[in-house]
């Protein structure tokens, strides 16, 4: 069977979805492993939102209607805080990734976390549009809905990319940035989560919308942790069950198809907000060289490398990764 040619984007580069597909097709051993898991697993049907809410959206979780979609959100801490901290998670994750930070941070600041369209309990976007511009429009609509003039915007991975792009687009609404292993430069991973590879493979990709081995989810999480031994049963349960939320597996495939890495990297140099850059030294998805690039391109930014941690340091070691955040927040002018 012949493969259709790789599509070219407006700048002559390949879309990130096709780069991931090319990456996947080269990894023959991973293909065999994935196939064995998929064929040896039972079906994993979609889970309804209503069935997931009792476990994954207890108080203070809430749902708001935004652009025709129910959005899972948590708004915690002092209600009178005029410039709250808004936290955005990464691909295949959810607002739960920030729980370790919020537990402490909300004693001092108003903290808002949200499931982005396509992920968590918010589920798929009605428009099936997961381009960066759609996410920037989402952030703008969210701030308007919550009647927030300005925020301190933090994000991990995809969430970090959305954060800095929104700060470049609407600098008057972003007081400061917290970038945690943020995406933004041309994608050059040392390792890609196996679940992402599976979703991009011909034949297996569509099958992944109906079959999801729990072991595949566990292996993918271990790939992005600096210390895989930190991955426990409760963590795997969360990622596994929220991935089964109706529409999320299709949304992941669509997001990877629409993702163009590094396309807006030149805009990073336009950022003028006080910026904290946090990076796990063992990040194999977005390497530490990207952290150095952010520090170089954002004038006056502060870079903190986190020894022993991987791509999601806020989740892997909340205490160690939050310490520089608290220090950074204390330096900001009211």
């Amino acid at each position: 069977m012949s493969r259709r040619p790789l599509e070219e984007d407006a700048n002559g580069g390949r879309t990130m979805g096709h780069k991931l597909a090319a990456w996947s097709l080269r990894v023959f051993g991973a293909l065999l492993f994935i196939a064995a898991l998929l064929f040896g697993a039972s079906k994993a049907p979609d889970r309804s939102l209503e069935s997931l809410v009792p476990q994954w959206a207890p108080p203070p979780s809430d749902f708001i209607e935004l652009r025709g979609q129910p959005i899972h959100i948590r708004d915690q801490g002092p209600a009178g805080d005029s410039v709250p901290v808004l936290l955005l998670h990464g691909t295949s994750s959810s607002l739960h990734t920030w729980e370790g930070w919020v537990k402490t941070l909300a004693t001092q600041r108003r903290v808002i976390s949200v499931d982005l369209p396509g992920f968590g309990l918010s589920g798929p976007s009605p428009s099936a549009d997961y381009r960066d511009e759609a996410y920037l429009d989402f952030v703008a609509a969210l701030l308007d809905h919550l009647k927030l003039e300005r925020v301190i915007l933090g994000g991990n991975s995809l969430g970090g990319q959305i954060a800095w792009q929104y700060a470049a687009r609407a600098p008057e609404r972003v007081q400061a940035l917290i970038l945690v292993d943020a995406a933004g430069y041309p994608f050059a991973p040392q390792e890609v989560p196996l679940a992402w590879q599976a979703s991009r493979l011909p034949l297996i990709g569509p099958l992944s919308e109906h079959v999801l081995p729990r072991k595949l989810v566990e292996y993918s999480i271990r790939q992005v942790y600096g210390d895989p031994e930190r991955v426990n049963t409760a963590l795997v349960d969360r990622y596994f069950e929220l991935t089964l939320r109706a529409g999320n597996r299709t949304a992941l495939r669509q997001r990877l198809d629409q993702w163009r890495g590094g396309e807006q990297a030149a805009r990073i140099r336009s950022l003028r907000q006080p910026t904290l850059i946090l990076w796990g030294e063992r990040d194999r998805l977005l390497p530490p060289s990207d952290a150095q690039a952010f520090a170089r391109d954002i004038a006056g930014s502060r870079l903190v490398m986190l020894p022993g941690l991987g791509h999601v340091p806020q989740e892997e070691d909340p205490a160690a990764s939050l310490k520089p955040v608290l220090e950074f927040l204390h330096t900001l002018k009211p």
Side-chain angles (χ1 to χ4, degrees), residues 113-124:
S113 53
V114 61
D115 283 350
L116 294 169
F119 306 107
L121 294 179
S122 292

Side-chain angles (χ1 to χ4, degrees), residues 6 25 27-28 35 56 62 72-73 76 93 110 123 156 159 222 240 242-243 249 263 299 306 308-309 326 329 333:
L6 292 170
L25 290 171
V27 187
F28 182 68
W56 303 112
D62 196 4
H72 180 213
I73 188 169
Q76 301 173 75
S93 190
R110 181 182 176 189
N156 171 232
R222 291 173 67 88
F240 178 70
L242 293 180
T243 300
R249 284 176 281 184
E263 193 174 62
L306 300 167
L309 302 183
L326 294 175
L329 292 175
K333 297 178 181 179

Side-chain angles (χ1 to χ4, degrees), residues 160-221:
Q161 178 167 291
I162 298 168
W164 70 254
Q165 287 192 10
Y166 187 75
R169 177 168 126 171
E172 72 283 356
R173 302 193 78 171
V174 181
Q175 181 189 22
L177 281 169
I178 302 169
L179 304 181
V180 186
D181 295 72
Y185 294 96
F187 191 52
Q190 297 171 346
E191 191 172 10
V192 175
L194 207 54
W196 292 13
Q197 296 184 44
S199 72
R200 290 297 306 138
L201 288 170
L203 301 180
I204 290 180
L207 182 62
S208 70
E209 296 180 19
H210 308 284
V211 178
L212 184 67
R214 191 177 182 282
K215 277 290 184 183
L216 178 62
V217 175
E218 179 180 357
Y219 187 83
S220 298
I221 301 169

